[in-house]
Amino acid sequence: MDPARAPQNQLPRPCLVLVLLNPRGGKGKALQLFRSHVQPLLAQADVSFRLLLTERRNHARELVRTEELGRWDALVVMSGDGVMHEVVNGLMERPDWETAIRKPLCSLPAGSGNALAASLNHYAGYEQVTNEDLLNNCTLLLCRRQLAPMNLLSLRMLSGLRVFSVLSLAWGFIADVDIESEKFRRLGERRFTVGTLLRLVALRVYRGRLAYLPVEQGVSAVPAPPPLDPQDRQGPVDAHLVPLEEPVPAHWTVVPEQDFVLVLVQLHSHLGSEMLVAPMGHGGAGAMHLFYVRAGVSRAALLRLFLAMEKGRHMECNCPYLVYVPVVAFRLEPKDGKGVFAVDGEMMVSEAVQGQVHPDYVWMVSGRGDPSPSLEPQWPPPSRKPQQQAPPPEVSL
């Protein structure tokens, strides 16, 4: 596939994909699940693949930074959300980032946090499922080959670091649960339940300043001029952002409260395979979800919110401390040094940060579009044995 060519609405048939698999993700059974659940369906659907096993943190980022992308019709990530985060940032660090980021991506869930896969499952119209059922659904999406553009979040830190997010930025309660529950990774997604209960016992308040550009203001606002620094040319221009050392523009909204239990900026519907945090959908091109919970909420009320979130019913709780706003940009300035950021589930140091959403920037395998029934693979796969063929190469770099 020519990397300079913009992707069409679907992958070709047959197609060749590069699978980046984290064998230690989730419960450590990703490779076994690939062999038993994914590979038979790909064989039926004429999807050939090369399998690469990641060996360490940021390994996938290093691989895609130098990979010859023209060899592949898509990059498939079988892991949790963290490896997809690595892949997208690796693509954005390439000299040819403008074409590299248009390489179609696919998320196959095999981690303890599978929010992106759960969101794609939701958009496809499937019922909310977990574990192998979610993996089967996402594999079927790959076999159907439908593509759809997704938003990308550009984040800028006070330290000068720039990061791209495909899912979320969390600060406060959610980020602490995400990071502190790492020690329970072998529990799979149950680690978040354990982490939530532990953090509720020792509920914290986080002090900071929050501001945002609402969707309706972002549409009518005049963007700032493009930056002159050549270093800023690595990635799209964040036209709605001014330097963090300056006040936010006058047409932004500044939240008067400065004590929070959590702040969450979310691109997609799910924060986990059983956490439908944005039942209102993916926000549309150029929009993202901003949630925050003000200090003063009781432990019981917060627990009710998280229990209701499994089915996307938390907005019906009418909790006066929970605020939701669709936005195109935001700024968050932690004031007391408490807490950390979790960006796509990956820990980052807590410092002043601002971000802007870029519409329809990443192409993902998705359930949008009507697949041809004659090309629909079967699950479970037929019991008859296929013709003998050499096993695909498996490489651990």
Side-chain angles (χ1 to χ4, degrees), residues 173 176 180 199 202-206 260-262 299 338-339:
F173 185 90
D176 286 351
E180 293 170 2
R199 178 46 52 206
L203 190 60
R204 296 174 181 166
V205 172
Y206 307 81
F260 302 93
V261 170
L262 66 87
R299 290 177 175 83
K338 288 184 181 179

Side-chain angles (χ1 to χ4, degrees), residues 131-200:
N131 302 319
E132 285 83 353
D133 291 332
L134 180 59
L135 177 60
N136 292 338
N137 286 354
C138 291
T139 304
L140 289 174
L141 294 181
L142 174 57
C143 293
R144 291 172 182 171
R145 294 171 163 76
Q146 299 296 313
L147 299 174
M150 303 286 174
N151 294 335
L152 181 69
L153 173 59
S154 170
L155 297 170
R156 294 181 180 270
M157 311 294 183
L158 183 60
S159 61
L161 180 66
R162 189 181 191 187
V163 178
F164 296 96
S165 166
V166 294
L167 181 65
S168 64
L169 176 142
W171 177 65
F173 185 90
I174 290 177
D176 286 351
V177 168
D178 200 348
I179 302 306
E180 293 170 2
S181 65
E182 278 283 335
K183 63 175 84 64
F184 308 121
R185 178 172 288 275
R186 288 291 174 176
L187 296 176
E189 293 221 2
R190 284 184 295 172
R191 66 177 255 214
F192 300 112
T193 302
V194 174
T196 297
L197 294 175
L198 292 175
R199 178 46 52 206
L200 277 172

Side-chain angles (χ1 to χ4, degrees), residues 223-256:
L228 300 178
D229 187 350
Q231 188 175 359
D232 268 352
R233 299 303 182 185
Q234 188 72 22
V237 174
D238 294 324
H240 289 296
L241 304 182
V242 299
L244 276 162
E245 296 82 7
E246 300 178 9
V248 296
H251 58 282
W252 283 45
T253 298
V254 178
V255 177

Side-chain angles (χ1 to χ4, degrees), residues 92-126:
M92 293 301 292
E93 290 165 356
R94 294 169 58 106
D96 62 343
W97 62 269
E98 288 180 283
T99 53
I101 196 59
R102 298 186 67 79
K103 178 62 61 177
L105 303 174
C106 174
S107 178
L108 297 182
S112 51
N114 301 307
L116 181 58
S119 298
L120 295 169
N121 180 78
H122 178 69
Y123 303 152
Y126 292 130

